[in-house]
């Protein structure tokens, strides 16, 4: 290797915050080069992707609509990832939330009472939470790797959803389209800003940010979860019930993802359709890392991720690019982030920089 | 159940199990060296799209498979650069590879969706393929299926009898000891990852050039993840990978069996079977914590930094 990695005496806090910014800049530069190679003016293309979508009120409103599910999923992942539990199943938990919320909502279309909406939301939370708990149970009682089980549950949830819209939940008056009936008005999330699609889902997401922040920073449970993630044997030695903590973390994470799903079907969609989510649950993994598993960081990262989704759609319309450009930017961003994160634990020694870094490390010790 | 149905089910079981067998063999070699690459799905997708485009442009299936392998290797080295070169978390890097591979393959393949090519032909071996029941299953397949039998044999021998196989295992069990006696830990791991990438690329190419000769976004449908579970199921043993791959192949074609027997079950419900089977298998194999730890390479997923 022409570059040498020199371990730092302790992890750099500064780099932990700088790394996501650096990764963002590198993604922009690579994206620009990529657009140039495709025959587009790189600056104009990047502006089309990242500024044009939010240059008017409608765009800003759509940003809120898209941020809500991503933020809900990612903030839940912050907790499980802190506990070093690799829940890759936010996508499936979101789908299950949407499915259970819809299963209830289509049965109470005629209900006009105020309890309809809370019950639909709770059904969604329960659906997502149970789906996550299934993986937690397999992990704590059977030692099954949660990465693989949660991924499998994503595929199972997707098939369940498709089965439901073709079967039991299909609208009998829907001309045989694979869609559920439209929800009753009392089951729909209220619109916050007139003439836009901004619904109360974003309020849930912001509330979740505050609650999770308090939970992680101020509560004993949050402390136990963090200890479990840093050193599982220390947590057990301290008498923390590690299995219970895994359950709690998965319960919260799955519940929030389920709420995200319920928010989609009772918000912008208004019914159950096969495509509830363009991979929000997977994008939330990137968001959680990018936001450094910190609620405030995740809030900003969710806005960025929502913008990338909108940018992909804009690039499709304006630049004739395939919609898959969204996934491309997401993957690039995560790769660069992981590469930049090496700077947290290591210094890079260039061949021309001599032995300075080594001596400074010895001095620190 | 008549004999034709059984013959055809066994034939389809091998065909469906083949891509799983190829990826899982590659991932097993990679894991034996101590590297957990969760990016199988991404590498397969890149192999599938690169192979398809290459064949579409040149008309040559050989060139298509070659490009599929190259794409897999290139993707695997991207993983190796970050996970081995920069010591990043292998789980997160593997996930990134899957997300990136999914996005990139969908992007470059978007104008090739739904285009037809002539897939790989079946080569029936005279006489042998006429054996009742197992003849079609073993001797009336395409070249890649035969190649997968050979690859299985080579890897079985590699870990059983070869010196290099021993080095790979040593590096995966105790990299520091291996380093101390002068074995090239990082180089071995880079090569193991590259081999895994080549196999994943080949398996992806098999899907888009032989199994269903077309390109569709995310056409691997979780096979890369199932292969990862297969390695756990197999307790990192080559012969069990073979068994597991074909069992999963069978689980994936049960809807055909159901149709053949006249059952009317929703195809979407039956499509869940391989995933449910994967979960059940993971649960069964992992239940006994001591036993599952015994077979896994001890340093699996742990970064190695010489002198650290």
């Amino acid at each position: 290797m022409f570059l040498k990695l020199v371990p730092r005496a302790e992890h750099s806090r500064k780099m932990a915050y700088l790394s996501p910014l650096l990764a963002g800049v590198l993604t922009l530069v690579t994206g620009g080069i990529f657009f140039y190679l495709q025959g587009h003016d790189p600056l104009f293309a990047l502006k089309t992707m990242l500024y044009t979508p939010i240059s008017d009120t409608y765009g800003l409103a759509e940003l809120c609509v898209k941020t809500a599910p991503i933020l809900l999923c990612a903030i839940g992942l912050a907790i499980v990832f802190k506990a070093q539990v690799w829940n890759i199943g936010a996508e499936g938990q979101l789908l299950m939330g949407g499915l259970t919320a819809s299963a209830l909502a289509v049965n109470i279309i005629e209900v006009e009472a105020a309890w309809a909406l809370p019950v639909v939301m709770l059904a969604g939370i329960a659906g997502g939470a149970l789906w996550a708990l299934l993986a937690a149970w397999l992990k704590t009682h059977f030692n099954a790797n949660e990465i693989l089980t949660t991924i499998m549950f994503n595929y199972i949830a997707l098939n369940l959803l498709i089965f439901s819209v073709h079967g039991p939940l299909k609208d009998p008056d829907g001309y045989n389209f694979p869609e559920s009936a439209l929800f009753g008005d009392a089951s729909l999330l209220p619109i916050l800003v007139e003439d836009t699609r901004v619904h109360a889902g974003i309020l849930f997401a912001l509330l979740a940010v505050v609650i999770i922040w308090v939970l992680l920073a101020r509560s004993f449970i949050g402390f136990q979860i963090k200890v479990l993630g840093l050193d599982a044997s220390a947590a057990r030695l301290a008498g923390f019930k590690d299995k219970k903590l895994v359950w709690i973390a998965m319960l919260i994470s799955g519940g929030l993802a389920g709420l995200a799903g319920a928010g989609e079907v009772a918000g912008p969609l208004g019914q159950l359709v096969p495509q509830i989510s363009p991979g929000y649950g997977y994008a939330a993994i990137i968001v959680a890392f990018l936001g450094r598993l910190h609620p405030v960081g995740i809030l900003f990262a969710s806005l960025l991720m929502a913008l990338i989704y909108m940018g992909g759609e804009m690039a499709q319309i304006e630049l004739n690019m395939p919609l898959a450009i969204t996934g491309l930017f997401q993957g690039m961003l995560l790769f660069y982030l992981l590469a930049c994160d090496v700077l947290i634990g290591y210094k890079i020694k260039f061949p021309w920089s001599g032995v300075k870094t080594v001596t400074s490390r010895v001095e620190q010790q | 159940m008549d004999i034709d149905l059984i013959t055809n089910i066994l034939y389809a079981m091998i065909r469906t199990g083949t891509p799983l067998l190829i990826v899982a063999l590659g991932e097993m070699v990679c894991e034996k060296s101590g590297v957990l690459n969760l990016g199988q799905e991404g590498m397969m997708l890149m192999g599938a799209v690169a192979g398809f485009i290459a064949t579409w442009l040149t008309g040559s299936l050989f060139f298509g498979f070659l490009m599929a392998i190259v794409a897999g290797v290139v993707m695997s080295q991207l993983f190796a650069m970050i996970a081995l070169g920069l010591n990043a978390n292998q789980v997160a890097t593997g996930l990134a590879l899957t997300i990136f591979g999914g996005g990139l393959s969908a992007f470059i393949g978007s104008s090739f969706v739904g285009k037809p090519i002539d897939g790989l032909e079946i080569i029936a071996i005279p006489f042998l393929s006429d054996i009742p029941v197992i003849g079609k299953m073993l001797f009336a397949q395409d070249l890649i299926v035969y190649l997968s039998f050979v690859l299985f044999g080579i890897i079985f021998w590699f870990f059983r009898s070869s010196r290099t196989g021993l080095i790979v295992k040593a590096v995966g069990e105790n990299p520091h000891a291996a380093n101390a006696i002068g074995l090239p830990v990082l180089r071995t791991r880079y090569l193991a990852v590259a081999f895994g990438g080549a196999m994943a690329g080949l398996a992806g190419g098999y899907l888009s050039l032989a199994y269903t000769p077309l390109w569709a976004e995310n056409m691997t449908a979780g096979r890369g993840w199932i292969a990862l579970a297969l390695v756990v199921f197999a307790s990192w043993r080559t012969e069990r990978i073979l068994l597991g791959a074909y069992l999963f192949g069978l689980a994936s074609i049960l809807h055909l069996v159901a149709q053949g027997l006249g059952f009317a079950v929703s195809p979407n419900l039956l499509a869940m079977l391989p995933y449910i089977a994967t979960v059940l298998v993971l649960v069964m194999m992992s239940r006994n914590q001591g036993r599952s730890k015994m077979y896994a390479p001890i340093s699996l997923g742990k970064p190695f930094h010489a002198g650290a």
Side-chain angles (χ1 to χ4, degrees):
Chain A
M1 278 289 268
F2 52 98
L3 297 177
K4 214 169 159 179
L5 295 177
V6 183
R8 290 178 193 271
E10 54 187 291
H11 282 195
S12 160
R13 271 183 83 86
K14 194 175 74 184
M15 276 304 162
Y17 293 120
L18 275 179
S19 162
L21 295 178
L22 194 58
V25 172
L26 286 169
T27 306
L28 281 185
V29 172
T30 318
I33 295 171
F34 173 78
F35 281 124
Y36 178 75
L37 293 175
Q38 296 269 319
H40 294 284
D41 173 7
L43 287 179
F44 175 74
L46 286 176
K47 187 180 152 219
T48 307
M49 254 197 97
L50 300 174
Y51 173 72
T52 316
I54 49 166
S55 56
D56 53 14
T57 329
Y58 173 79
L60 286 170
E62 280 300 298
L63 188 71
C64 289
V65 174
K66 286 214 164 37
T67 301
I70 299 173
L71 182 53
L72 278 167
C73 290
I75 202 80
L77 291 183
I79 293 207
V80 275
F81 288 173
K82 281 256 185 210
Q84 290 280 323
V85 175
W86 294 92
N87 175 16
I88 312 300
E91 180 76 6
Q93 290 143 21
L94 182 152
L95 297 179
M96 285 309 275
L99 181 58
T100 47
S102 305
L104 185 72
V106 294
N107 284 303
I108 56 167
I109 292 175
E110 305 301 326
V111 173
E112 289 174 12
W115 55 261
L117 180 64
V119 169
V120 168
M121 289 294 121
L122 283 175
I125 294 175
L130 287 175
W131 205 237
L133 280 187
L134 198 54
W137 177 61
L138 296 179
K139 177 181 170 66
T140 55
H141 282 70
F142 300 98
N143 191 33
N145 181 317
E146 75 275 15
I147 300 176
L148 294 174
T149 54
T150 50
I151 283 268
M152 291 301 129
F153 285 143
N154 287 348
Y155 287 104
I156 296 171
L158 183 62
N159 277 302
L160 266 180
L161 173 73
I162 296 173
F163 164 74
S164 301
V165 289
H166 281 98
L169 292 184
K170 186 159 79 176
D171 183 4
D173 309 320
Y175 303 102
N176 219 16
F177 280 109
E179 295 171 350
S180 81
L182 290 168
F183 294 0
D185 285 342
S187 304
L188 292 177
L189 285 167
I191 296 288
L192 296 181
V193 185
E194 249 176 82
D195 298 327
T196 70
R197 300 202 301 164
V198 182
H199 57 84
I202 188 72
L203 295 183
F204 294 148
L206 292 173
L207 189 65
V209 170
V210 176
I211 293 174
I212 299 301
W213 183 72
V214 172
L215 187 83
L216 277 175
R218 294 278 180 272
S219 79
F220 186 50
I221 289 276
F223 173 74
Q224 287 176 307
I225 285 176
K226 282 188 283 189
V227 174
L228 178 70
L230 287 172
D231 190 342
S233 49
R236 271 191 293 274
L237 214 62
F240 300 166
K241 297 194 169 56
D242 53 342
K243 289 186 178 178
K244 198 181 96 186
L245 290 173
V246 171
W247 279 61
I248 292 173
M250 284 295 271
L251 182 77
I252 296 172
S253 173
L256 289 174
L259 179 60
E264 288 303 285
V265 290
L269 299 172
Q271 65 183 140
L272 187 67
V273 295
Q275 285 91 27
I276 304 182
S277 154
Y280 288 145
Y282 295 112
I285 300 170
I286 307 173
V287 168
F289 286 131
L290 200 63
R292 311 276 77 162
L293 304 187
H294 188 284
V296 178
I298 288 176
L299 177 61
F300 286 113
S302 302
L303 287 165
L304 176 66
M305 193 54 70
L307 180 57
I308 293 180
Y309 270 108
M310 295 175 72
E313 287 168 17
M314 194 57 84
Q316 187 185 24
I317 300 165
E318 298 284 327
L319 305 173
N320 239 333
M321 290 278 204
L323 190 58
I325 194 162
T326 309
L328 192 60
F329 268 72
Q330 289 173 348
M332 237 165 25
L333 190 58
L334 183 53
F335 256 132
Y336 275 129
L337 180 74
L338 292 169
C340 292
D341 274 355
V342 76
L343 294 172
I344 300 172
Y346 297 88
K347 277 180 191 173
I348 290 189
K349 197 179 114 190
F350 297 96
W352 57 84
S353 70
V355 291
K356 217 174 92 203
T357 45
V358 178
T359 48
S360 64
R361 183 177 163 231
V362 173
E363 278 159 22
Q364 276 170 12
Q365 285 171 340
Chain B
M1 201 142 76
D2 63 284
I3 199 120
D4 274 354
L5 184 62
I6 298 175
T7 309
N8 284 326
I9 287 171
L10 289 176
Y11 166 78
M13 174 185 89
I14 299 283
R15 270 181 83 72
T16 315
T18 295
L20 290 173
L21 174 66
I22 296 174
V23 196
L25 284 174
E27 172 61 12
M28 190 189 71
V29 171
C30 186
E31 289 190 18
K32 283 270 194 191
S33 83
V35 184
L36 178 67
N37 183 356
L38 294 183
Q40 305 299 321
E41 190 80 1
M43 298 191 297
M44 277 181 88
L45 280 167
M46 284 305 291
V49 78
F52 185 86
I53 293 176
T55 301
W56 170 262
L57 293 178
T58 64
S60 156
L61 279 167
F62 174 78
F63 188 62
F65 278 111
L66 193 69
M67 282 301 114
I69 293 173
V70 169
V73 172
V74 169
M75 289 297 279
S76 77
Q77 291 311 293
L78 197 59
F79 168 87
M81 249 164 54
I82 294 173
L84 302 180
L86 300 178
N87 282 346
N89 181 318
Q90 290 180 9
V91 170
T93 313
L95 274 174
L97 192 66
T98 286
I99 294 175
F100 181 67
L104 185 61
S105 63
F107 184 82
I108 58 181
S110 60
S111 51
F112 293 89
V113 174
K115 293 195 169 164
I117 53 163
D118 291 326
L120 198 59
E121 278 171 22
I122 303 291
I123 301 175
I125 297 170
F127 306 118
L128 288 176
S129 58
D130 296 331
I131 302 171
V133 186
I134 58 160
K136 189 172 178 187
M137 157 190 177
L138 294 176
F139 303 110
Q141 296 279 8
D142 56 51
L143 261 182
I144 301 294
V145 174
Y146 298 137
L147 177 66
S148 74
F149 296 159
V150 175
L151 284 168
F152 165 77
I154 292 175
I155 289 169
F156 186 79
W157 165 83
F158 180 73
F159 282 122
R160 198 182 181 88
S161 321
S162 84
R163 190 183 134 74
T164 325
L166 211 58
I167 294 178
V168 171
K169 281 192 274 190
V171 163
E173 294 293 330
N174 192 340
H176 292 287
N179 185 49
I181 59 167
L183 296 176
V185 173
L186 276 180
R187 200 170 72 208
T188 308
R189 289 189 168 181
Y190 270 103
L191 287 172
V193 170
F195 180 75
M199 295 288 268
L202 177 64
Y206 183 74
L207 290 175
S208 68
L209 298 175
Y211 190 69
T212 47
L214 51 81
W215 162 251
E217 235 177 77
N218 286 319
M219 69 183 299
T220 49
R223 284 182 180 87
W225 293 106
I226 292 178
L228 281 155
L230 257 178
V231 179
V232 179
F233 165 77
S235 311
W236 291 265
R237 276 152 58 181
T238 319
E239 67 282 4
R240 283 217 191 165
I241 295 227
L242 186 79
L243 178 75
Y246 295 141
L247 279 180
F248 274 87
L250 190 62
S252 312
I253 53 156
L254 273 182
H255 62 280
L256 296 178
V257 182
Q259 267 173 11
L261 295 175
F263 287 123
V265 190
S266 154
N268 295 113
L269 289 182
L270 285 171
M272 287 179 211
L273 279 175
Y275 309 115
I276 294 174
T278 307
V279 173
L280 291 179
V281 152
L282 275 171
V283 167
M284 275 175 357
M285 296 310 295
S286 318
R287 205 181 36 200
N288 187 334
Q289 202 165 353
R291 220 186 115 240
S292 59
K293 277 229 173 88
M294 198 165 81
Y295 291 113
I298 294 167
S299 300
L300 183 58
K302 290 182 194 141
F304 171 75
H305 193 263

